[in-house]
């Protein structure tokens, strides 16, 4: 018997019966289990493991000789008298060792919360520790972090639902969100502890903090993974994987401390800007609006000096001191305004809240444009110059915003660069990504009014939403122009203290939808400052689910059954586009399907394989007003998947909606598409682990992209017909990207909705591009795509950022 055909992939204790030790994995057929504690036999039984999700599927294994099983081993109350558990498979006189575990390890886990740490990061640059994972028990699990000396460490804890975990631990009802994300300041010492407690049961996870221990721990993990991979896949596969790791591209992260100085103008460039600024055809005055409240003098000085250093000189600084009658700032403000006539200030007899304080600064403004700034932040020296350069290039612009980063309290360290997309309305409804630096035309501000005190805490969010509703043109400057002062350890603060601000943000987005006559409600997202939109359309239109299929009826059956058994949206039909199947069993299945399900129609495509033509044929035979283009090798996860897609798709400004797709190992397969990845286009955040949220939480943020994959794409019939469907010149590759770009060309948005989740078992239906004919066809389709869309390939994807790399899909900085 060959070693590579069996493997344990998960082990745990039953949450309601701590005697039951459960193992799941791959087991050879016709073998019986035998389990021993040392030499003493213990009961063991197996059952076929019914796959409810892709988490339970395995790759690269020859499954013809085995089956996926769940094994239950009954253990005694006390394990201290034993050394180890050994599990064998026996068939006649043949026996093999399947699994071993030390009794000490089992005793440590028995009767305690089950948990898994998916991400563990000690950030030495920011002095922060981050943990992501899940924990479950038969009652809610409370989390805490303590230091090496057992002192409690204040930390930010975010809880999130994990349907994949709920499926695994189906024996208990999980009222509490089992997923978690923790962020806390790195404590002194070599280790700290994550404490998980549920009633009288508790589990402890040590987090090592020194670099040498972290390296040692990683090497241990790599050794275990490598050893397991070697046993499971053989020497050749193992050697190939090691070679790729050793000789592959340098994957080290770009050091922002080295990157930033090379992306800021040096003194020579700044001097050139000072001499050139008078050459602008249009030199509008910019009023810099700053509300003050008992600002520390050092920070006030740095903020003012950053404005005075601007290479563009036609500005005024409007300072409203909302500190009240006993303000400590009065003499300082009088002195700086006397030094520079462009600096103006106003004092007030009573303390002012943030919105009314900002409005008081607005009343002083005489400029054509308004730049909004916080009282302890800093502009880069060329910030206003870049704004005026953009205004000269795009004079119709009435809102500008730039990229930004964070700055340490002492002003000497810069980190967390936020390289933003161009205007992205759905991302803005998910999070206030625009933030700093924001510049607004004074005429637009007068039209929409000032900041509103009923949204204090999110007054800027409400303001920018109102700006976008009336703006003629919104422009993004993809340069770091603003340093946002931030405590490096501010993530350790209790987020509950800012609950009022997050609630104000939620109300601001809902009010924004009401002004646009869009029936929607908004709830808090998985992290503070993130939001999730729910649409409430009265119409429940017929959705035609168009599924191309060639043989592989096991895939098709799983796809259909996942919708029929899980989906809470019921007004749909299936249009199965049969194309060139050869297996007689496939046609028998079609007959059975149409006979048993009244909402299924199988139509027969007779030509050679052309995905675009197949989709168009399916659409021509569909009866719904919305089409869901769906690969046969997909499986929906969340019951409201169709509602999530339809909610966005029914908006008149939306052309197509895509979903969050996972590979069978629970890593990201699709979270939007960026033009330029891989030379033409590629998926975002590929192979990121489930639960990881990506660059500025982009994986879990509803947002607009240039394209989404047609493996799962919803589009209205009207939009589909407006662009004449898919382009048949692109038979296999890039046809979905081309289709989305055609929708963009008629002004439609392409939305990625992370709350529509599916598994995608990727292209079992077609082979590789491994023949001369296929290679020639692929190259021809690349040429066709490049000819159709030269501008976006040349200028870059507007929903990405030129400061980010195209060499990987993780939104990391571009190498210098």
């Amino acid at each position: 018997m060959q070693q590579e055909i069996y493997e344990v992939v998960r082990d745990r204790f039953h949450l309601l019966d701590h005697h039951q030790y459960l193992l799941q994995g791959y087991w050879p057929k016709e073998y019986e289990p035998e389990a021993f504690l040392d030499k003493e036999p213990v009961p063991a039984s197996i059952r076929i493991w019914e796959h409810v999700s892709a988490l339970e599927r395995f790759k690269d294994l020859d499954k013809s000789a085995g089956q996926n099983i769940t094994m239950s081993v009954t253990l005694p109350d006390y394990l201290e008298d034993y050394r180890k558990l050994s599990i064998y498979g026996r068939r006649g006189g043949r026996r093999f060792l399947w699994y071993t575990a030390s009794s000490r390890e089992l005793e440590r886990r028995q009767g305690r919360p089950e948990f898994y740490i998916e991400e563990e990061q000690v950030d030495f640059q920011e002095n922060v520790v981050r943990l992501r994972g899940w924990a479950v028990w038969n009652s809610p699990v409370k989390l805490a972090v303590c230091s090496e000396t057992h002192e409690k460490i204040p930390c930010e804890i975010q809880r999130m639902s994990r349907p994949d975990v709920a499926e695994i631990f189906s024996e208990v009802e999980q009222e509490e969100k089992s997923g978690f994300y923790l962020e806390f300041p790195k404590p002194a010492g070599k280790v700290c502890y994550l404490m998980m407690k549920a009633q009288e049961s508790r589990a402890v996870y040590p987090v090592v903090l020194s670099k040498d221990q972290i390296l040692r721990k990683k090497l241990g993990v790599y050794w275990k993974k490598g050893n397991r991979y070697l046993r499971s896949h053989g020497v050749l596969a193992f050697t190939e994987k090691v070679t790729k790791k050793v000789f592959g591209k340098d994957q080290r992260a770009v050091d922002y401390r080295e990157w930033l100085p090379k992306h800021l103008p040096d003194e020579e460039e700044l001097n050139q800007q000072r001499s050139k600024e008078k050459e602008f055809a249009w030199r509008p005055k910019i009023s810099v609006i700053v509300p003050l409240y008992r600002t520390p003098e050092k920070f006030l000085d740095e903020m003012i000096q950053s404005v005075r250093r601007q290479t563009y000189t036609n500005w005024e600084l409007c300072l409203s001191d909302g500190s009240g009658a006993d303000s400590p700032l009065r003499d300082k403000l009088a002195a700086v305004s006397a030094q520079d006539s462009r600096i103006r200030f106003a004092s007030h007899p009573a303390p002012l809240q943030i919105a009314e304080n900002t409005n008081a600064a607005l009343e002083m403004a005489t400029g054509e444009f308004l730049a909004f700034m916080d009282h302890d932040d800093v502009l880069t020296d060329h910030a206003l110059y870049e704004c005026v350069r953009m205004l000269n290039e795009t004079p119709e612009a009435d809102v500008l915003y730039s990229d930004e980063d964070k700055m340490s309290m002492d002003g000497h360290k810069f980190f967390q660069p936020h390289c933003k997309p161009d205007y992205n309305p759905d991302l803005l409804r998910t999070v206030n990504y625009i933030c700093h630096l924001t510049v607004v035309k004074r005429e637009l501000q007068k039209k929409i009014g000032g900041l509103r005190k009923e949204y204090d805490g999110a007054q800027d969010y409400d303001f920018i939403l109102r700006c976008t509703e009336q703006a003629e043109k919104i422009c993004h400057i993809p340069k770091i122009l603003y340093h946002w002062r931030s405590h490096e350890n501010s993530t350790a603060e209790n987020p509950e203290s800012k609950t009022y601000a997050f609630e104000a943000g939620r109300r601001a987005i809902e009010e924004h939808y009401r002004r646009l006559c869009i029936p929607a409600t908004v709830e808090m997202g998985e992290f503070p400052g993130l939001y999730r939109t729910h649409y409430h359309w009265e119409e429940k239109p017929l959705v035609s689910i168009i599924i191309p299929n060639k043989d592989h009826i096991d895939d098709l059956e799983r796809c259909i059954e996942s919708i029929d058994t899980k989906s809470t949206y019921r007004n749909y039909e299936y249009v199965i586009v049969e194309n060139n199947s050869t297996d007689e069993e496939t046609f028998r299945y079609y007959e059975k399907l149409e006979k048993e399900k009244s909402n299924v129609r199988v139509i027969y495509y007779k030509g050679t394989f052309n995905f675009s033509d197949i989709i168009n044929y399916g659409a021509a035979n569909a009866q719904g007003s919305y089409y869901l283009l769906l690969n046969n090798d997909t499986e929906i996860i969340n019951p409201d998947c169709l509602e999530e897609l339809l909610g966005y798709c029914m908006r008149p400004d939306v052309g197509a909606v895509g979903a969050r797709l996972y590979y069978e190992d629970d890593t990201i397969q699709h979270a939007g598409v960026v033009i330029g990845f891989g030379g033409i286009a590629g998926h975002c955040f590929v192979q990121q682990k489930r639960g990881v949220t990506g660059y500025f939480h982009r994986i879990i943020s509803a947002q607009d992209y240039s394209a989404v994959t047609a493996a799962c794409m919803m589009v209205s019939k009207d939009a589909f017909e407006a662009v004449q469907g898919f382009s048949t010149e692109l038979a296999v590759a890039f046809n979905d990207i081309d289709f989305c770009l055609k929708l963009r060309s008629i002004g439609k948005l392409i939305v990625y909705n992370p709350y529509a989740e599916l598994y995608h078992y990727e292209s079992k239906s077609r082979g590789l591009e491994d023949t001369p004919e296929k290679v020639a066809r692929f190259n021809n389709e690349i040429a066709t795509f490049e000819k159709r869309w030269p501008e976006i390939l040349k200028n870059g994807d507007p929903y990405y950022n030129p400061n980010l790399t195209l060499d990987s899909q993780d939104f990391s900085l571009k190498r210098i």
Side-chain angles (χ1 to χ4, degrees):
M1 148 170 242
Q2 296 179 343
Q3 284 187 315
E4 63 263 28
I5 63 172
Y6 56 88
E7 182 178 20
V8 176
V9 297
R10 181 187 299 116
D11 66 300
R12 68 179 182 89
F13 280 92
H14 195 282
L15 295 186
L16 299 179
D17 181 358
H18 69 270
H19 297 101
Q20 297 301 313
Y21 182 49
L22 305 176
L23 303 98
Q24 294 178 310
Y26 200 60
W27 180 264
K29 293 177 181 178
E30 300 180 5
Y31 274 69
E32 294 296 324
E34 292 182 342
F36 297 89
L37 279 169
D38 296 339
K39 295 182 179 182
E40 182 180 318
V42 290
S45 61
I46 60 173
R47 65 179 186 274
I48 299 300
W49 182 5
E50 296 295 338
H51 303 310
V52 294
S53 75
L55 185 62
E56 332 305 347
R57 303 177 190 277
F58 317 106
K59 296 193 286 190
D60 303 322
L61 296 175
D62 174 14
K63 297 189 176 168
S64 62
Q67 57 194 346
N68 294 296
I69 60 98
T70 296
M71 179 180 294
S72 178
V73 179
T74 304
L75 298 176
D77 280 320
Y78 302 104
L79 295 169
E80 64 266 25
D81 295 333
Y82 302 97
R83 291 178 55 251
K84 69 176 180 177
L85 170 71
S86 303
I87 301 174
Y88 298 89
R90 178 182 291 278
R91 181 184 176 188
R94 301 180 63 186
R95 190 174 83 159
F96 73 96
L97 179 64
W98 190 57
Y99 181 79
T100 64
S102 71
S103 298
R104 184 178 179 182
E105 173 66 15
L106 293 174
E107 188 176 22
R108 186 183 66 82
R109 293 174 54 189
Q110 191 176 33
R112 301 177 187 272
E114 291 283 338
F115 69 92
Y116 184 70
I117 304 301
E118 296 165 319
E119 179 185 3
E120 178 179 348
Q121 180 188 22
V122 181
D123 192 324
F124 290 95
Q125 183 177 345
E126 296 182 29
N127 210 36
V128 167
V129 179
R130 302 180 180 93
L131 299 175
R132 188 187 314 278
W134 51 260
V136 295
W137 189 237
N138 54 26
S139 61
V141 179
K142 296 180 181 180
L143 305 175
V145 177
C146 70
S147 69
E148 194 172 47
T149 56
H150 304 291
E151 295 175 352
K152 189 173 181 180
I153 300 172
C155 65
E156 176 184 333
I157 301 176
Q158 300 299 323
R159 305 303 294 255
M160 59 203 76
S161 59
R162 289 292 298 267
D164 56 323
V165 176
E167 284 182 340
I168 296 169
F169 295 91
S170 57
E171 65 264 28
V172 294
E173 296 243 348
Q174 295 177 39
E175 297 178 5
E176 190 82 0
K177 295 180 177 180
S178 59
F180 61 76
Y181 173 81
L182 291 88
E183 195 165 316
F184 54 91
K186 178 182 171 294
K190 295 183 178 181
V191 68
C192 63
Y193 301 95
L194 172 62
M195 316 293 292
M196 292 159 279
K197 183 177 180 181
Q199 294 179 341
E200 299 304 314
S201 300
R202 67 177 61 200
V204 179
Y205 179 78
V207 181
V208 295
L209 301 174
S210 66
K211 291 183 179 180
D212 59 331
Q213 286 181 311
I214 291 171
L215 178 60
R216 202 173 297 126
K217 185 175 181 179
K218 284 183 177 179
L219 290 174
V221 171
Y222 294 153
W223 170 258
K224 288 181 181 178
K225 284 184 176 179
N227 197 32
R228 175 175 165 181
Y229 194 91
L230 177 63
R231 292 199 323 268
S232 299
H233 304 291
V235 174
L236 288 177
F238 177 76
T239 304
E240 182 181 354
K241 192 172 186 70
V242 170
T243 301
K244 286 181 179 179
K245 287 284 186 182
V246 173
F247 297 105
K249 290 185 178 180
D250 185 1
Q251 296 298 314
R252 290 174 299 169
V254 174
D255 189 335
Y256 184 61
R257 292 170 296 182
E258 298 176 6
W259 186 96
L260 179 62
K262 297 179 181 180
H263 287 78
L264 292 176
D266 57 23
E267 196 56 41
E268 182 179 351
E269 291 174 279
L270 292 174
N271 287 331
Q272 288 176 352
Q273 289 181 6
R274 292 184 181 100
S275 62
K276 285 183 177 180
E277 64 138 337
K278 294 181 175 57
E279 297 177 9
F280 283 130
W282 182 27
R283 299 184 68 252
K285 180 189 283 188
I286 298 180
S287 298
V288 182
I289 306 300
V290 185
L292 307 173
Y293 186 83
R294 300 185 178 274
T295 313
E297 186 171 336
K298 178 179 182 295
F299 298 163
L300 180 62
D301 271 337
E302 291 180 5
M303 180 272 293
I304 292 172
Q305 291 309 313
S306 78
V307 177
R308 297 188 70 186
R309 284 196 304 268
Q310 293 300 302
T311 57
Y312 180 78
T313 58
N314 191 16
W315 53 262
E316 65 177 0
L317 179 56
C318 302
L319 305 171
S320 174
D321 181 12
S323 306
D326 61 343
S327 171
L329 308 180
R330 188 183 303 275
D331 293 343
K332 176 68 177 179
L333 295 177
V336 296
S337 64
Q339 293 171 3
D340 193 327
S341 61
R342 296 171 298 177
I343 300 176
R344 310 169 65 192
F345 79 97
S347 299
H348 307 282
L352 300 180
Q353 297 296 319
I354 182 65
E356 55 187 351
N357 202 14
T358 307
N359 289 338
L362 285 172
E363 291 175 5
M364 290 186 278
T366 62
E368 294 170 72
F369 285 85
L370 310 166
F372 292 87
M373 189 175 179
D374 287 347
H375 66 161
D376 54 356
D377 294 342
V378 170
L379 297 178
T380 62
D381 293 354
H382 65 318
L384 299 185
Y385 182 92
E386 293 295 344
C387 292
V388 176
R389 173 152 59 184
M390 176 65 77
L391 290 172
N392 276 267
E393 293 172 356
T394 316
E396 69 273 21
D398 38 21
V399 175
L400 307 176
Y401 66 94
S402 76
D403 295 347
E404 63 186 297
D405 64 13
K406 289 184 180 176
M407 176 177 65
S408 60
M409 293 300 288
D410 61 11
H412 295 150
K413 183 177 174 183
F414 304 95
F415 55 100
Q416 288 185 13
H418 190 182
C419 300
K420 308 167 187 176
D422 287 356
Y423 178 51
N424 193 319
D426 285 292
L427 183 59
L428 184 60
R429 292 160 185 160
T430 300
V431 60
N432 183 10
Y433 81 93
I434 287 180
C435 212
H436 308 300
L437 170 70
T438 301
V439 177
V440 176
K441 196 171 188 177
R442 184 60 190 266
E443 290 179 7
L444 175 61
Q445 182 269 312
K446 288 181 177 178
K447 184 177 181 180
I448 68 167
L451 281 75
R452 303 195 289 185
K453 63 181 181 180
E454 58 267 36
Y455 294 99
D456 267 345
Q459 72 290 334
D460 52 345
Y461 202 171
D462 169 67
F463 180 74
I464 196 63
L465 286 168
R466 288 185 286 129
C467 284
T468 62
E469 294 162 23
Q470 303 291 333
E472 180 180 343
K473 180 77 173 178
I474 301 169
C475 289
H476 166 226
I477 303 170
K479 297 182 179 182
I480 301 289
L481 302 183
Y482 193 98
H483 301 308
W484 182 3
R485 196 182 302 270
S486 173
H487 291 274
E488 290 184 70
N489 296 337
S490 61
T491 50
E493 296 174 0
N494 181 2
E496 296 300 320
S497 64
K498 296 184 178 180
T499 299
Y500 78 96
F502 303 132
E503 171 60 21
R506 188 195 65 77
R507 289 189 289 106
I509 304 169
E510 281 196 348
E511 182 65 24
H512 164 71
Y513 280 124
R514 278 192 285 273
R515 290 191 297 270
L516 297 178
C517 299
I518 296 175
T521 56
V522 177
E523 68 169 322
M524 303 289 192
E526 295 179 36
F527 293 86
L530 293 185
Y531 300 93
R532 178 179 177 181
T533 296
H534 297 278
Y535 294 93
H536 305 284
W537 304 102
E538 290 185 8
E539 183 187 2
K540 305 297 179 187
L542 177 65
V543 175
S544 295
I545 304 174
I546 301 172
I547 307 176
N549 192 72
K550 178 183 178 181
D551 293 320
H552 295 285
I553 59 173
D554 52 340
D555 287 338
L556 179 61
E557 183 176 21
R558 180 183 60 223
C559 175
I560 291 175
E561 285 304 306
S562 74
I563 296 171
D564 286 348
T565 59
K566 292 182 181 179
S567 177
T568 52
Y569 192 85
R570 307 308 299 176
N571 192 20
Y572 57 82
E573 66 165 357
Y574 295 104
V575 180
I576 312 298
V577 188
E578 154 58 33
N579 61 100
N580 302 309
S581 291
T582 57
D583 192 338
E584 286 300 320
E585 189 177 349
T586 300
F587 298 97
R588 288 194 294 270
Y589 175 70
Y590 290 156
E591 292 178 10
K592 176 175 175 287
L593 202 58
E594 288 186 297
K595 183 177 180 180
E596 294 179 353
K597 299 179 185 291
S598 61
N599 63 341
V600 173
R601 285 183 296 124
V602 180
I603 60 176
Y604 293 82
Y605 175 82
K606 299 297 185 182
T608 56
F609 182 84
N610 183 310
F611 182 81
S612 296
D613 210 18
I614 289 168
I615 292 296
N616 292 344
Y617 184 60
N621 286 273
Q623 297 175 357
S625 50
Y626 291 85
Y627 304 151
L628 175 58
L629 314 182
L630 194 63
N631 276 23
N632 62 348
D633 56 351
T634 57
E635 175 184 356
I636 73 166
I637 296 173
N638 53 311
D640 59 348
C641 184
L642 268 61
E643 287 99 332
E644 287 290 346
L645 295 168
L646 194 57
Y648 281 93
C649 203
M650 289 179 71
R651 273 181 18 207
D653 60 334
V654 171
V657 185
R660 178 166 29 165
L661 305 181
Y662 299 97
Y663 285 116
E664 55 188 351
D665 62 355
D666 257 25
T667 59
I668 295 291
Q669 192 264 344
H670 171 268
V673 170
V674 164
I675 310 303
F677 282 168
I680 298 293
H683 295 184
C684 304
F685 304 108
V686 173
Q687 294 186 341
Q688 295 287 317
K689 293 179 181 178
R690 185 172 188 157
V692 172
T693 62
Y695 183 73
F696 283 88
H697 301 308
R698 293 283 290 270
I699 292 175
I700 60 171
S701 296
Q703 63 198 281
D704 305 309
Y705 275 109
S706 288
V708 292
T709 179
C712 176
M713 177 197 293
M714 186 172 283
V715 57
S716 71
K717 176 181 179 180
D718 290 343
F720 190 91
E721 292 179 347
V723 296
Q724 299 180 317
F726 276 55
S727 302
T728 55
E729 304 94 314
L730 297 169
V732 178
F734 313 120
N735 38 52
D736 47 0
I737 313 302
D738 172 82
F739 176 71
C740 288
L741 292 178
K742 290 198 296 181
L743 290 170
R744 291 288 300 121
S745 72
I746 62 170
K748 298 292 186 180
L749 295 171
I750 310 299
V751 180
Y752 159 69
N753 183 358
Y755 295 105
E757 297 180 87
L758 301 90
Y759 288 111
H760 182 203
Y761 307 111
E762 184 113 58
S763 285
K764 293 180 182 176
S765 305
R766 286 196 304 110
L768 300 172
E769 312 296 341
D770 55 359
T771 66
E773 294 79 12
K774 287 182 178 180
V775 171
R777 188 261 309 145
F778 182 71
N779 289 334
N780 182 61
E781 290 181 346
I782 290 177
T784 300
F785 185 89
E786 289 176 334
K787 185 177 180 180
R788 282 174 172 269
W789 308 107
E791 288 189 7
I792 193 169
L793 289 169
K794 177 184 176 182
N795 300 329
D797 192 323
Y799 294 110
Y800 198 50
N801 187 294
N803 295 310
L804 302 179
T805 184
L806 294 174
D807 291 336
S808 68
Q809 307 96 342
D810 60 359
F811 287 49
S812 54
L813 284 172
K814 183 188 294 184
R815 293 193 175 278
I816 303 165

